[in-house]
Each structure stands twice: as structure tokens, then as C-alpha cells.
Amino acid sequence: MVSRTMDDYMALACAGCKAVNEPAFWAGFDRASAQGFYDYFRQITEYEPRRAAKFCIEHYCWLCINPKEAEDPGLAREVISLIPEFLKKPNVLGIGEIGLNKNSRNELMILEEHIQLAEDHGQLILVHTPHLEDKRKGTKLIIDALLNHPKLDPGRVIIDHVEEHTAPLVLDKGFWAGMTLYPESKVTPNRAIDMLEMYGCERVWMNSACDWGVSDPLSVPKAALEMRRRGYDDAFIDQIVYSNPAQFMGQSERFALK
Amino acid sequence: MADNDPNLVDLGFLDARIKLIDIAAFLDRLDRHGQADDYRVDALRKAFSELNSQEAGRAARVLDALSDHTEEPIEAAVIQGAFGAPLKTR
Ligand SMILES: [Zn+2]
């Protein structure tokens, strides 16, 4: 959680968090060169696991150039060329969060190249879908791009930031669906629980947005409290906040919690 | 689905009430300041009809009403953010 202080690791540990998984994402600004990404990959594969370990939390990560910075194909390809070296690091679970931001041709081309990279290296995939008015279209383009790879197992791909209008599209094709919780924008705990009621509890996880913006690392524990208020029992809550994510990430031999 | 069904109206009514009044106040505010003529506000107004719908799936349909329905990728991403409603309804 490169954009967070140790206080957040402490709060997560106290809330019972056993592991965090951190996608490579936008830093709140555009990096000027591939070297900036090289250092960032070192940070999330070497330094961040040590910070998390101080609070007995296992740290896993995903690597890519995120879609917001993927409009320049030259830079994007330079960054992609750095990734294979880092795939050897013990906390890397796969390629992500790849996807689309504004649904542009270049973003789509770089998404394709990331999918190919994941396929070539047998990696799990974590996908970011665009926000607001761009989500519906972007989710459809992403699903089509993934389905263009017939050998890719949809059960090894999680498509994140689903909302009520995109969750069924994702789940119907056999992908996992991620519900990223935000305190004041996008999906709230109550809406995420509503989606579980509407679309079922298989192949879904909830995650707390923990970025440089207004976000809350304790969103998942708060959603667990909301589930309890709404009458769900411990076994149900455990499936959503622990077993399901462990099942998905456990497809990588690197993921130690089962 | 939940074991012991709590009263969901008790749990959610005040929150829904607050949000509804907030929307009404927002529209009043735009009128007072002469700023109601905006493609995003138009999109919001179109989506309001879903609140009176008797059919399940209101949230998904509100999201659809506030979504870009084109299908082809755009030529280039010239901005990074999004506005909450598609520009072409302007
Ligand atoms: Zn994301």
C-alpha cells in the first residue's frame, strides 16, 4: 500500500486482516519514464512486503502499466518489457491491474499485450474497469478482448470494480467479479451486499480501495459489519471476505493462505 | 438469504431519506444559480424515472442511463477522468 502510512497496516492487522494484495496502479500522477516504473516494481515486490510483515500481514502484488498511463504505446511497451524479470519475485500473483480507462484504441492495444504476457507466463490476471459513464462500454470491450484468447481460463481472471450493470456480464462468462468498496463514491458496502443477493456468492470478492484518493482500507471489515447487521452469519461472511479471495489467489502457488 | 431477517427499512430508510432530500436541494440550488442546463443534470433527470419503477433492477438501469452506449474504442484518450454522464447527450 504505497500510498498509505503504517497506521493503515496497523488498523488492518487489528481488524483481522491476514493478507493484502496490491495491484500496480496509477500513482496520482503520470510517471515520466520506464525507470519510474522499475523503481515502483521494486517498491511493491521488495519494500512493501517488509512493511506489511511488521504487522504480521502477508503482502502480494500484481504488475503492469495501468490503463491510465497506457495511452503512450512506446512507454507502455518499455514498461511491459521490465515485467518478466519481476515475475520471479515471491510475492507476485500475476498481471494487473490492467484494463481500460477511457476506452481508447491504444489502451485496448496495450491491454491485449498484457493479456498475451500473462498467457505466455501462465499468470493470473487482475483487470480494472473504467469508472462512471465509461464502465459499461469498457467492461464489454475488456470481456471481448479476454475472450479473444480461447486458451485463457476465465476462472483465472478477476474483473474488478463491477457494479450492478456490469456484474452479470462478467459472471455470465465465467470470470471472477471484484467489488471495490469506496466510502463515498462508487460501490458502497450495502450495494455490494445487494449484488451478492442478486448475483450469488460464487466467484466474487470484495476489496477495499486503498489508493491516493479518498478511500478506506477498512472498507471490507465495515462491509462485514454491514452483513452482520443484515442478518448474515459467520460462515457467509467468512466465505466472502476470506475463502473466496483465498480460492482465487490460491490458484497461484505463491499464495500461502489457503 | 440472510438467516434472521432484520428490518431493512429500519436499517436504510433514514439514509435514503437524506439522499433524496439532498438531490431535491441540489436541483433547487442549480435553479437558483441558473446552472440547471447541463448534460449531466439532463442525464440525472432521465434516470429519475427509474425511482418510480415497480420492476427490480432499478440500480442497474440507473447506471445504464448514465453510461456511454457507443461500442467502438475512441481514437485517443485526451483526458484521464470521467464526468458521470456521457457527453453526447449534451
Ligand atoms: Zn482499479
Side-chain angles (χ1 to χ4, degrees), chain B residues 16-32:
Chain B
R17 183 180 187 276
I18 289 164
K19 285 171 179 160
L20 186 62
I21 296 166
D22 250 346
I23 294 169
F26 172 63
L27 294 175
D28 283 347
R29 191 180 315 138
L30 296 183
D31 282 344
R32 257 194 333 273

Side-chain angles (χ1 to χ4, degrees), chain A residues 5 17 50 78 80 90 125 127 129 133 148 159 192 195 205 227 229 235:
Chain A
T5 65
C17 174
R50 292 202 293 271
E78 232 185 302
I80 289 173
I125 295 178
V127 184
T129 53
E133 74 270 22
N148 273 338
I159 300 182
M195 282 192 265
W205 84 21
M227 282 186 251
R229 277 195 189 121

Side-chain angles (χ1 to χ4, degrees), chain A residues 26 30 68-69 71 101-108 131-134 136-137 140-141 163-165 188 191 193 196-199 201 226 229-233 236, chain B residues 1-6 8 11 15 19 39 57 59-61 63-64 66-87:
Chain A
W26 195 49
D30 292 346
K68 259 190 177 158
E69 290 173 273
E71 185 62 20
N101 180 50
K102 291 305 292 177
N103 304 324
S104 74
R105 293 196 185 284
N106 283 352
E107 287 172 10
L108 195 58
H131 296 304
L132 301 172
E133 74 270 22
D134 298 319
R136 181 181 182 276
K137 173 179 176 179
K140 290 182 172 195
L141 288 170
E163 294 189 48
E164 289 85 342
H165 59 328
T188 57
R191 282 177 55 204
I193 300 165
L196 297 175
E197 292 179 354
M198 291 187 288
Y199 310 126
C201 304
E226 207 53 54
R229 277 195 189 121
R230 284 172 60 163
Y232 290 98
D233 63 15
F236 178 90
Chain B
M1 204 154 113
D3 285 354
N4 51 329
D5 263 346
L8 295 174
L11 282 180
D15 186 46
K19 285 171 179 160
Y39 74 100
R61 291 196 303 276
L63 284 160
D64 276 340
L66 298 170
S67 293
D68 176 7
H69 285 253
T70 64
E71 290 178 355
E72 288 300 308
I74 62 169
E75 281 311 316
V78 289
I79 53 160
Q80 286 174 321
F83 302 101
L87 271 166

Side-chain angles (χ1 to χ4, degrees), chain A residues 20-195:
Chain A
V20 296
N21 95 103
E22 172 162 16
F25 74 117
W26 195 49
F29 65 97
D30 292 346
R31 281 155 278 213
S33 70
Q35 192 60 42
F37 285 87
Y38 184 87
D39 285 340
Y40 174 55
F41 294 159
R42 282 182 50 233
Q43 187 180 14
I44 59 176
T45 58
E46 295 170 16
Y47 183 71
E48 211 53 35
R50 292 202 293 271
R51 277 206 327 154
K54 287 182 182 155
F55 300 90
C56 305
I57 293 174
E58 291 184 25
H59 179 278
Y60 297 97
C61 73
W62 305 75
L63 303 173
C64 74
I65 174 165
N66 69 86
K68 259 190 177 158
E69 290 173 273
E71 185 62 20
D72 173 355
L75 172 67
R77 288 184 178 129
E78 232 185 302
V79 175
I80 289 173
S81 74
L82 300 173
I83 293 174
E85 164 189 350
F86 284 96
L87 291 178
K88 298 174 193 129
K89 299 281 188 181
N91 72 328
V92 176
L93 293 181
I95 301 300
E97 54 177 8
I98 57 172
L100 298 173
N101 180 50
K102 291 305 292 177
N103 304 324
S104 74
R105 293 196 185 284
N106 283 352
E107 287 172 10
L108 195 58
M109 181 169 68
I110 296 305
L111 168 64
E112 286 278 0
E113 293 178 25
H114 275 113
I115 297 170
Q116 192 60 54
L117 177 75
E119 211 172 27
D120 293 345
H121 293 266
Q123 296 289 315
L124 296 173
I125 295 178
L126 170 63
V127 184
H128 167 97
T129 53
H131 296 304
L132 301 172
E133 74 270 22
D134 298 319
K135 182 178 300 295
R136 181 181 182 276
K137 173 179 176 179
T139 303
K140 290 182 172 195
L141 288 170
I142 287 165
I143 289 172
D144 288 346
L146 288 162
L147 294 177
N148 273 338
H149 292 251
K151 278 191 254 158
L152 196 72
D153 173 4
R156 289 174 57 82
V157 179
I158 186 156
I159 300 182
D160 203 7
H161 306 288
V162 299
E163 294 189 48
E164 289 85 342
H165 59 328
T166 56
L169 306 175
V170 167
L171 291 168
D172 286 352
K173 298 291 183 196
F175 299 106
W176 280 68
M179 300 185 286
T180 312
L181 307 175
Y182 290 83
E184 56 182 38
S185 60
K186 305 166 192 133
V187 175
T188 57
N190 260 318
R191 282 177 55 204
I193 300 165
D194 293 337
M195 282 192 265

